[in-house]
Amino acid sequence: MGEARGGAPLTLRARKPGYAVMQECLAIQAGAPARSRWQRFWGHDPLHDDARSWFKGAIGERDVARALDALGPGFTVLHAVPVGKRSTDIDHVVIGPTGVFSINTKNHSGQDVWVGGRTFLVNGQRTPHAHRALTEGERATALLSAAAGGPIVVQPVIVVAAARVRFGEKQPAVVTLTPEQVGPWITGLPRAHSDQAVRYLSMLAEERGTWHVDAVVLNDTLRHVQRFERLEREIAEAQHRRRLLRTGRRLAVLAVPAGALLGYWWATALTALGA
């Protein structure tokens, strides 16, 4: 695979899952004040509050990417596909014998999700997830069809991680799946494209110019991924330190009555010996 000046890959295969979300997270995180020595000692969370949702989103995209990458060699999976003119992207694009899919990932772990028609509720609050996924699918269909010189339907899919996902009586306007369901669902669909068509569509989809007005971006490197992984390690280390300190405090509390009991035993024993 060729590279552009500055080390930027010419195709989208090198894009990592959550790439654009990582960039936004890091941009916000850059404004977070450095932790003091005592904050580090006590395991103070290094993540900026405003960056928290972006961080969670990147983790969610990465989890779904692992499920999609297990589809096998018959499928092409692209991550963080840039579309339009700005920094908007499609979380994942999948091209295979069963169709072409634009996949919108939502990380609502620990929350309740309810889906019916175009309504998508998270803990009872209405969200625009379904509308945005439909718009994304329509946009992807238009862009890929233009590149292919003929109609190519891109089906939108929402993949959501949540504590519970429930469905109303009305069929969801967008297929909604969990990370565990998405792989079997895609592979279980009837064949839509020949192997030759899959290879051709994959070639088109890999080209950034198919989706974005800027065919090549020179600063599109793995630098942000490395910085995000470093932030992830710092967060994990802070969590580990907090757990250790909580354990230490619990042991200290237990040690106080144990120490008092031991002192009472020694005092009783000494008294008995003196007698």
Side-chain angles (χ1 to χ4, degrees), residues 177-248:
L177 306 164
T178 65
E180 297 77 22
Q181 294 171 330
V182 63
W185 181 82
I186 289 176
T187 55
L189 292 172
R191 176 177 279 272
H193 300 297
S194 66
D195 291 343
Q196 183 179 3
V198 170
R199 287 192 293 270
Y200 177 62
L201 293 174
S202 296
M203 179 186 69
L204 293 177
E206 291 172 15
E207 296 300 321
R208 184 184 174 101
T210 295
W211 310 99
H212 201 276
V213 294
D214 297 324
V216 177
V217 174
L218 300 183
N219 64 352
D220 197 8
T221 69
L222 298 181
R223 175 172 51 90
H224 294 91
V225 177
Q226 294 167 347
R227 288 173 54 204
F228 183 86
E229 289 174 346
R230 184 165 63 248
L231 173 63
E232 191 176 10
R233 288 193 298 271
E234 290 175 357
I235 293 171
E237 289 168 1
Q239 291 173 339
H240 179 64
R241 179 167 287 275
R242 290 198 300 274
R243 283 195 297 269
L244 287 177
L245 290 170
R246 283 196 297 268
T247 301

Coordinates of all heavy atoms in Angstrom, one line a residue, residues 177-248:
L177 N -28.8 -3.7 17.1 CA -28.2 -5.0 17.6 C -27.3 -4.7 18.7 O -26.8 -3.5 18.9 CB -27.5 -5.7 16.4 CG -28.3 -5.9 15.1 CD1 -27.3 -6.3 14.0 CD2 -29.3 -7.1 15.3
T178 N -26.9 -5.7 19.4 CA -25.8 -5.6 20.4 C -24.5 -6.0 19.7 O -24.5 -6.6 18.6 CB -26.1 -6.5 21.6 OG1 -26.1 -7.9 21.1 CG2 -27.5 -6.2 22.2
P179 N -23.4 -5.7 20.3 CA -22.1 -6.1 19.7 C -22.0 -7.6 19.5 O -21.4 -8.1 18.5 CB -21.1 -5.6 20.7 CG -21.7 -4.5 21.4 CD -23.2 -4.8 21.5
E180 N -22.6 -8.4 20.3 CA -22.6 -9.9 20.2 C -23.4 -10.3 19.0 O -23.2 -11.4 18.4 CB -23.0 -10.6 21.4 CG -22.2 -10.3 22.7 CD -22.4 -8.9 23.3 OE1 -23.5 -8.4 23.1 OE2 -21.5 -8.5 24.0
Q181 N -24.5 -9.6 18.6 CA -25.4 -10.0 17.6 C -25.0 -9.6 16.2 O -25.4 -10.2 15.2 CB -26.8 -9.4 17.9 CG -27.5 -9.9 19.1 CD -28.7 -9.1 19.5 OE1 -28.8 -7.9 19.2 NE2 -29.7 -9.8 20.1
V182 N -24.2 -8.5 16.1 CA -24.0 -7.9 14.8 C -23.3 -8.8 13.8 O -23.7 -8.9 12.6 CB -23.2 -6.6 14.9 CG1 -21.8 -6.8 15.4 CG2 -23.1 -5.9 13.5
G183 N -22.3 -9.6 14.2 CA -21.6 -10.5 13.3 C -22.5 -11.6 12.7 O -22.6 -11.7 11.5
P184 N -23.2 -12.4 13.6 CA -24.1 -13.4 13.1 C -25.2 -12.8 12.2 O -25.6 -13.5 11.3 CB -24.6 -14.0 14.4 CG -23.5 -13.8 15.4 CD -23.0 -12.4 15.1
W185 N -25.7 -11.6 12.6 CA -26.8 -11.0 11.8 C -26.3 -10.7 10.3 O -27.0 -11.1 9.4 CB -27.3 -9.8 12.4 CG -28.4 -9.1 11.7 CD1 -29.7 -9.5 11.7 CD2 -28.3 -8.0 10.7 NE1 -30.5 -8.7 10.9 CE2 -29.6 -7.8 10.3 CE3 -27.2 -7.3 10.3 CZ2 -29.9 -6.8 9.3 CZ3 -27.5 -6.3 9.3 CH2 -28.8 -6.0 8.9
I186 N -25.1 -10.1 10.2 CA -24.6 -9.8 8.9 C -24.3 -11.0 8.0 O -24.7 -11.1 6.9 CB -23.3 -8.9 9.0 CG1 -23.6 -7.5 9.5 CG2 -22.6 -8.8 7.7 CD1 -22.4 -6.6 9.8
T187 N -23.7 -12.0 8.6 CA -23.3 -13.2 7.9 C -24.5 -14.1 7.6 O -24.5 -14.9 6.7 CB -22.3 -14.1 8.7 OG1 -22.8 -14.4 10.0 CG2 -21.0 -13.3 8.8
G188 N -25.6 -13.9 8.4 CA -26.8 -14.7 8.2 C -27.8 -14.2 7.1 O -28.7 -14.9 6.8
L189 N -27.5 -13.0 6.6 CA -28.4 -12.5 5.6 C -28.2 -13.2 4.2 O -27.1 -13.8 4.0 CB -28.1 -11.0 5.4 CG -28.4 -10.1 6.6 CD1 -27.9 -8.7 6.3 CD2 -30.0 -10.0 6.8
P190 N -29.1 -13.1 3.3 CA -28.9 -13.8 2.0 C -27.9 -13.0 1.2 O -27.7 -11.8 1.4 CB -30.3 -13.7 1.4 CG -31.0 -12.6 2.1 CD -30.5 -12.6 3.5
R191 N -27.3 -13.7 0.2 CA -26.3 -13.1 -0.6 C -26.9 -11.9 -1.4 O -28.0 -12.1 -2.0 CB -25.6 -14.1 -1.5 CG -24.6 -13.5 -2.5 CD -24.0 -14.6 -3.4 NE -22.9 -15.2 -2.6 CZ -21.6 -14.8 -2.6 NH1 -21.3 -13.7 -3.3 NH2 -20.7 -15.5 -2.0
A192 N -26.2 -10.8 -1.5 CA -26.6 -9.7 -2.2 C -25.7 -9.3 -3.4 O -26.1 -8.7 -4.3 CB -26.8 -8.5 -1.3
H193 N -24.4 -9.6 -3.2 CA -23.3 -9.3 -4.2 C -22.5 -10.5 -4.5 O -22.2 -11.3 -3.6 CB -22.5 -8.1 -3.7 CG -23.2 -6.9 -3.3 ND1 -23.9 -6.1 -4.3 CD2 -23.4 -6.2 -2.1 CE1 -24.5 -5.1 -3.7 NE2 -24.2 -5.1 -2.4
S194 N -22.0 -10.5 -5.7 CA -21.1 -11.6 -6.2 C -19.7 -11.2 -5.6 O -19.4 -10.1 -5.1 CB -21.0 -11.6 -7.7 OG -20.4 -10.4 -8.2
D195 N -18.8 -12.2 -5.6 CA -17.5 -12.0 -5.1 C -16.8 -10.9 -5.9 O -16.0 -10.1 -5.3 CB -16.7 -13.3 -5.1 CG -17.1 -14.4 -4.2 OD1 -17.9 -14.0 -3.2 OD2 -16.8 -15.6 -4.4
Q196 N -17.0 -10.9 -7.1 CA -16.4 -9.8 -8.0 C -16.9 -8.5 -7.6 O -16.1 -7.5 -7.5 CB -16.7 -10.1 -9.5 CG -16.0 -9.1 -10.4 CD -16.3 -9.5 -11.9 OE1 -17.0 -10.4 -12.2 NE2 -15.7 -8.7 -12.8
A197 N -18.2 -8.4 -7.4 CA -18.8 -7.1 -7.0 C -18.2 -6.6 -5.6 O -18.0 -5.5 -5.4 CB -20.3 -7.2 -6.9
V198 N -18.1 -7.6 -4.7 CA -17.5 -7.3 -3.4 C -16.1 -6.7 -3.5 O -15.8 -5.7 -2.8 CB -17.6 -8.5 -2.5 CG1 -16.8 -8.3 -1.2 CG2 -19.0 -8.9 -2.1
R199 N -15.3 -7.3 -4.3 CA -13.9 -6.8 -4.5 C -13.9 -5.4 -5.1 O -13.2 -4.5 -4.7 CB -13.1 -7.8 -5.4 CG -12.8 -9.1 -4.7 CD -11.8 -9.8 -5.6 NE -12.3 -10.3 -6.9 CZ -12.9 -11.5 -7.0 NH1 -13.1 -12.3 -6.0 NH2 -13.4 -11.8 -8.2
Y200 N -14.8 -5.2 -6.0 CA -14.9 -3.8 -6.7 C -15.4 -2.8 -5.7 O -14.8 -1.7 -5.6 CB -15.8 -3.9 -7.9 CG -16.0 -2.6 -8.6 CD1 -15.0 -1.9 -9.2 CD2 -17.3 -2.0 -8.6 CE1 -15.2 -0.7 -9.8 CE2 -17.5 -0.8 -9.3 CZ -16.5 -0.1 -9.8 OH -16.7 1.1 -10.4
L201 N -16.5 -3.1 -5.0 CA -17.0 -2.1 -4.0 C -16.0 -1.9 -2.9 O -15.9 -0.8 -2.3 CB -18.3 -2.7 -3.4 CG -19.5 -2.7 -4.4 CD1 -20.7 -3.4 -3.8 CD2 -19.8 -1.3 -4.9
S202 N -15.3 -2.9 -2.5 CA -14.3 -2.8 -1.4 C -13.2 -1.8 -1.9 O -12.7 -1.0 -1.1 CB -13.7 -4.1 -1.0 OG -14.6 -5.0 -0.5
M203 N -12.8 -2.0 -3.1 CA -11.7 -1.1 -3.7 C -12.2 0.4 -3.6 O -11.4 1.3 -3.3 CB -11.4 -1.5 -5.1 CG -10.3 -0.6 -5.8 SD -10.1 -1.1 -7.5 CE -11.7 -0.6 -8.2
L204 N -13.5 0.6 -4.0 CA -14.0 1.9 -4.0 C -14.1 2.5 -2.6 O -13.8 3.6 -2.3 CB -15.4 2.0 -4.7 CG -15.5 1.7 -6.2 CD1 -16.9 1.7 -6.6 CD2 -14.7 2.7 -7.0
A205 N -14.6 1.6 -1.7 CA -14.8 2.1 -0.3 C -13.5 2.4 0.4 O -13.5 3.3 1.3 CB -15.6 1.0 0.4
E206 N -12.4 1.8 0.0 CA -11.2 2.0 0.7 C -10.6 3.4 0.3 O -9.7 3.9 1.1 CB -10.2 0.9 0.3 CG -10.5 -0.4 0.9 CD -9.6 -1.5 0.3 OE1 -8.5 -1.1 -0.3 OE2 -9.9 -2.7 0.4
E207 N -11.0 4.0 -0.8 CA -10.5 5.2 -1.2 C -11.2 6.4 -0.4 O -12.4 6.5 -0.5 CB -10.7 5.4 -2.7 CG -10.0 4.4 -3.6 CD -8.5 4.5 -3.4 OE1 -8.0 5.6 -3.2 OE2 -7.8 3.4 -3.3
R208 N -10.4 7.2 0.2 CA -10.9 8.3 1.0 C -11.7 9.3 0.1 O -12.7 9.8 0.5 CB -9.8 9.1 1.6 CG -10.2 10.2 2.5 CD -9.0 11.0 3.1 NE -9.5 12.1 3.8 CZ -9.5 12.2 5.1 NH1 -9.2 11.2 5.9 NH2 -10.0 13.3 5.7
G209 N -11.3 9.4 -1.2 CA -12.0 10.3 -2.1 C -13.4 9.9 -2.4 O -14.2 10.7 -2.9
T210 N -13.7 8.6 -2.2 CA -15.1 8.2 -2.4 C -16.1 8.9 -1.4 O -17.2 9.1 -1.7 CB -15.2 6.6 -2.2 OG1 -14.4 6.0 -3.2 CG2 -16.6 6.1 -2.3
W211 N -15.6 9.1 -0.2 CA -16.4 9.6 0.9 C -16.2 11.1 1.2 O -17.1 11.8 1.6 CB -16.2 8.8 2.1 CG -16.2 7.3 2.0 CD1 -15.1 6.5 1.8 CD2 -17.4 6.5 1.9 NE1 -15.5 5.2 1.6 CE2 -16.9 5.2 1.7 CE3 -18.7 6.8 1.9 CZ2 -17.8 4.1 1.5 CZ3 -19.6 5.7 1.8 CH2 -19.1 4.4 1.6
H212 N -15.0 11.6 1.1 CA -14.6 12.9 1.6 C -14.0 13.8 0.5 O -13.4 13.3 -0.5 CB -13.6 12.8 2.7 CG -13.5 14.0 3.6 ND1 -12.7 15.1 3.3 CD2 -14.1 14.2 4.8 CE1 -12.9 15.9 4.3 NE2 -13.7 15.5 5.2
V213 N -14.3 15.1 0.6 CA -13.8 16.0 -0.5 C -12.3 16.0 -0.5 O -11.7 16.3 -1.6 CB -14.3 17.4 -0.3 CG1 -15.8 17.4 -0.5 CG2 -14.0 18.0 1.1
D214 N -11.6 15.8 0.6 CA -10.2 15.8 0.7 C -9.7 14.3 0.5 O -9.9 13.5 1.4 CB -9.6 16.3 2.0 CG -10.0 17.8 2.2 OD1 -10.0 18.5 1.2 OD2 -10.3 18.2 3.4
A215 N -9.2 14.0 -0.7 CA -8.8 12.6 -0.9 C -7.6 12.2 -0.1 O -7.5 11.0 0.2 CB -8.5 12.5 -2.4
V216 N -6.7 13.1 0.3 CA -5.6 12.8 1.1 C -5.4 13.8 2.2 O -5.6 15.0 2.0 CB -4.3 12.8 0.3 CG1 -3.1 12.5 1.2 CG2 -4.4 11.7 -0.8
V217 N -5.2 13.4 3.4 CA -4.9 14.3 4.6 C -3.6 13.9 5.1 O -3.4 12.8 5.6 CB -6.0 14.1 5.7 CG1 -5.7 15.0 6.9 CG2 -7.4 14.6 5.1
L218 N -2.7 14.8 5.1 CA -1.3 14.5 5.4 C -1.0 14.3 6.9 O 0.0 13.7 7.3 CB -0.4 15.7 4.9 CG -0.4 15.9 3.4 CD1 0.6 17.0 3.0 CD2 -0.1 14.6 2.7
N219 N -1.9 14.8 7.8 CA -1.7 14.6 9.2 C -2.5 13.4 9.8 O -2.6 13.2 10.9 CB -2.0 15.8 10.0 CG -3.5 16.2 9.9 OD1 -4.2 15.6 9.2 ND2 -3.9 17.2 10.7
D220 N -3.0 12.6 8.9 CA -3.8 11.4 9.3 C -2.9 10.3 9.6 O -2.8 9.3 8.9 CB -4.8 11.1 8.1 CG -5.9 10.2 8.6 OD1 -6.1 10.0 9.8 OD2 -6.6 9.7 7.7
T221 N -2.3 10.3 10.8 CA -1.4 9.3 11.2 C -1.9 8.6 12.5 O -2.9 8.8 13.0 CB 0.0 9.9 11.6 OG1 -0.2 10.7 12.7 CG2 0.5 10.8 10.4
L222 N -1.1 7.6 13.0 CA -1.4 6.8 14.2 C -1.0 7.6 15.4 O -1.2 7.0 16.5 CB -0.7 5.5 14.1 CG -1.1 4.6 12.9 CD1 -0.4 3.3 13.0 CD2 -2.7 4.4 12.9
R223 N -0.5 8.8 15.3 CA -0.1 9.5 16.5 C -1.2 9.7 17.5 O -1.0 9.5 18.7 CB 0.4 10.9 16.0 CG 0.8 11.9 17.2 CD 1.5 13.1 16.5 NE 0.7 13.7 15.5 CZ -0.3 14.6 15.7 NH1 -0.5 15.0 16.9 NH2 -1.0 15.1 14.7
H224 N -2.4 10.0 17.0 CA -3.5 10.2 18.0 C -3.9 8.9 18.7 O -4.3 8.9 19.9 CB -4.7 10.7 17.2 CG -4.5 12.1 16.7 ND1 -4.1 12.3 15.4 CD2 -4.8 13.3 17.2 CE1 -4.0 13.6 15.2 NE2 -4.4 14.2 16.2
V225 N -3.8 7.8 18.0 CA -4.1 6.5 18.6 C -3.1 6.2 19.7 O -3.5 5.7 20.8 CB -4.0 5.3 17.5 CG1 -4.3 4.0 18.2 CG2 -5.0 5.6 16.4
Q226 N -1.8 6.5 19.5 CA -0.8 6.2 20.5 C -1.1 7.1 21.8 O -0.9 6.7 22.9 CB 0.6 6.5 20.0 CG 0.9 5.5 18.9 CD 2.2 5.9 18.1 OE1 2.6 7.0 18.2 NE2 2.7 4.9 17.3
R227 N -1.5 8.4 21.5 CA -1.8 9.3 22.6 C -3.0 8.8 23.4 O -3.0 8.9 24.6 CB -2.0 10.7 22.1 CG -0.7 11.4 21.6 CD -1.0 12.7 21.0 NE -1.8 13.6 21.8 CZ -2.6 14.6 21.4 NH1 -2.7 14.8 20.1 NH2 -3.3 15.3 22.2
F228 N -4.0 8.3 22.7 CA -5.2 7.9 23.3 C -4.9 6.6 24.2 O -5.4 6.5 25.3 CB -6.3 7.5 22.3 CG -7.6 7.1 22.9 CD1 -8.5 8.0 23.2 CD2 -7.9 5.8 23.1 CE1 -9.7 7.7 23.8 CE2 -9.1 5.4 23.7 CZ -10.0 6.3 24.0
E229 N -4.1 5.7 23.7 CA -3.7 4.5 24.4 C -2.9 4.9 25.7 O -3.1 4.2 26.7 CB -2.9 3.6 23.5 CG -3.8 2.9 22.4 CD -3.0 2.1 21.5 OE1 -1.7 2.3 21.5 OE2 -3.6 1.3 20.7
R230 N -2.1 6.0 25.6 CA -1.4 6.4 26.8 C -2.4 7.0 27.8 O -2.3 6.7 29.0 CB -0.4 7.5 26.4 CG 0.5 7.9 27.6 CD 1.7 8.7 27.1 NE 1.4 9.9 26.4 CZ 1.6 10.2 25.2 NH1 2.1 9.2 24.4 NH2 1.3 11.3 24.6
L231 N -3.4 7.7 27.4 CA -4.4 8.2 28.3 C -5.2 7.1 28.9 O -5.5 7.1 30.1 CB -5.4 9.1 27.5 CG -6.6 9.6 28.3 CD1 -6.2 10.5 29.5 CD2 -7.5 10.4 27.3
E232 N -5.5 6.1 28.1 CA -6.2 4.9 28.6 C -5.4 4.2 29.7 O -6.0 3.8 30.7 CB -6.5 3.9 27.5 CG -7.4 2.8 27.8 CD -7.7 1.9 26.6 OE1 -7.0 2.1 25.6 OE2 -8.6 1.1 26.7
R233 N -4.1 4.1 29.5 CA -3.2 3.5 30.6 C -3.2 4.3 31.8 O -3.3 3.8 32.9 CB -1.8 3.3 30.0 CG -1.7 2.2 29.0 CD -0.2 1.9 28.8 NE 0.5 3.0 28.2 CZ 0.7 3.3 26.9 NH1 0.1 2.5 26.0 NH2 1.4 4.3 26.5
E234 N -3.2 5.6 31.7 CA -3.2 6.5 32.9 C -4.5 6.4 33.6 O -4.5 6.4 34.9 CB -3.0 8.0 32.4 CG -1.6 8.3 31.9 CD -1.5 9.7 31.3 OE1 -2.5 10.4 31.3 OE2 -0.4 10.1 30.9
I235 N -5.6 6.3 32.9 CA -6.9 6.1 33.6 C -7.0 4.8 34.3 O -7.4 4.7 35.5 CB -8.0 6.2 32.6 CG1 -8.1 7.6 32.0 CG2 -9.4 5.8 33.2 CD1 -9.1 7.8 30.8
A236 N -6.5 3.7 33.7 CA -6.5 2.4 34.3 C -5.6 2.4 35.6 O -5.9 1.8 36.6 CB -6.0 1.3 33.3
E237 N -4.4 3.0 35.5 CA -3.5 3.1 36.6 C -4.1 3.8 37.8 O -4.0 3.4 38.9 CB -2.2 3.7 36.2 CG -1.3 2.9 35.3 CD -0.2 3.6 34.6 OE1 0.0 4.8 34.9 OE2 0.6 3.0 33.8
A238 N -4.8 4.9 37.5 CA -5.5 5.7 38.5 C -6.6 4.9 39.2 O -6.8 4.9 40.4 CB -6.1 7.0 38.0
Q239 N -7.4 4.1 38.4 CA -8.4 3.2 38.9 C -7.8 2.2 39.8 O -8.3 1.9 40.9 CB -9.2 2.6 37.8 CG -10.1 3.6 37.0 CD -10.7 2.9 35.8 OE1 -10.2 1.9 35.3 NE2 -11.8 3.5 35.3
H240 N -6.7 1.6 39.4 CA -6.0 0.6 40.2 C -5.5 1.1 41.5 O -5.7 0.5 42.6 CB -4.8 0.0 39.4 CG -4.1 -1.1 40.1 ND1 -4.6 -2.3 40.5 CD2 -2.8 -1.1 40.5 CE1 -3.7 -3.0 41.1 NE2 -2.6 -2.3 41.1
R241 N -5.0 2.3 41.5 CA -4.5 3.0 42.7 C -5.6 3.2 43.7 O -5.5 3.0 44.9 CB -3.7 4.2 42.4 CG -3.2 5.0 43.6 CD -2.2 6.0 43.2 NE -0.9 5.4 42.8 CZ 0.0 5.1 43.6 NH1 -0.1 5.3 44.9 NH2 1.2 4.6 43.2
R242 N -6.8 3.7 43.1 CA -7.9 4.0 44.0 C -8.4 2.7 44.7 O -8.8 2.7 45.8 CB -9.1 4.6 43.2 CG -8.8 6.0 42.8 CD -10.0 6.8 42.4 NE -10.7 6.2 41.3 CZ -10.5 6.4 40.0 NH1 -9.5 7.3 39.7 NH2 -11.1 5.8 39.0
R243 N -8.4 1.6 43.9 CA -8.8 0.3 44.5 C -7.9 -0.2 45.6 O -8.3 -0.6 46.7 CB -8.9 -0.8 43.4 CG -10.1 -0.7 42.5 CD -10.3 -2.0 41.7 NE -9.2 -2.2 40.8 CZ -9.1 -1.8 39.5 NH1 -10.1 -1.0 39.0 NH2 -8.1 -2.0 38.8
L244 N -6.6 0.0 45.4 CA -5.6 -0.3 46.4 C -5.8 0.5 47.7 O -5.7 0.0 48.8 CB -4.2 -0.1 45.9 CG -3.7 -1.2 44.8 CD1 -2.3 -0.8 44.3 CD2 -3.7 -2.6 45.4
L245 N -6.0 1.8 47.5 CA -6.2 2.7 48.6 C -7.5 2.3 49.4 O -7.5 2.4 50.6 CB -6.2 4.1 48.2 CG -4.9 4.7 47.7 CD1 -5.0 6.0 47.1 CD2 -3.9 4.7 48.8
R246 N -8.6 2.0 48.7 CA -9.8 1.6 49.3 C -9.6 0.3 50.1 O -10.1 0.2 51.3 CB -10.9 1.4 48.3 CG -11.5 2.7 47.8 CD -12.9 2.4 47.1 NE -12.7 1.6 45.9 CZ -12.5 2.1 44.7 NH1 -12.4 3.4 44.5 NH2 -12.4 1.2 43.7
T247 N -8.9 -0.6 49.5 CA -8.6 -1.9 50.3 C -7.7 -1.6 51.5 O -8.0 -2.2 52.6 CB -7.8 -2.9 49.3 OG1 -8.6 -3.1 48.2 CG2 -7.5 -4.2 50.0
G248 N -6.7 -0.7 51.4 CA -5.9 -0.4 52.5 C -6.7 0.3 53.6 O -6.5 0.0 54.8

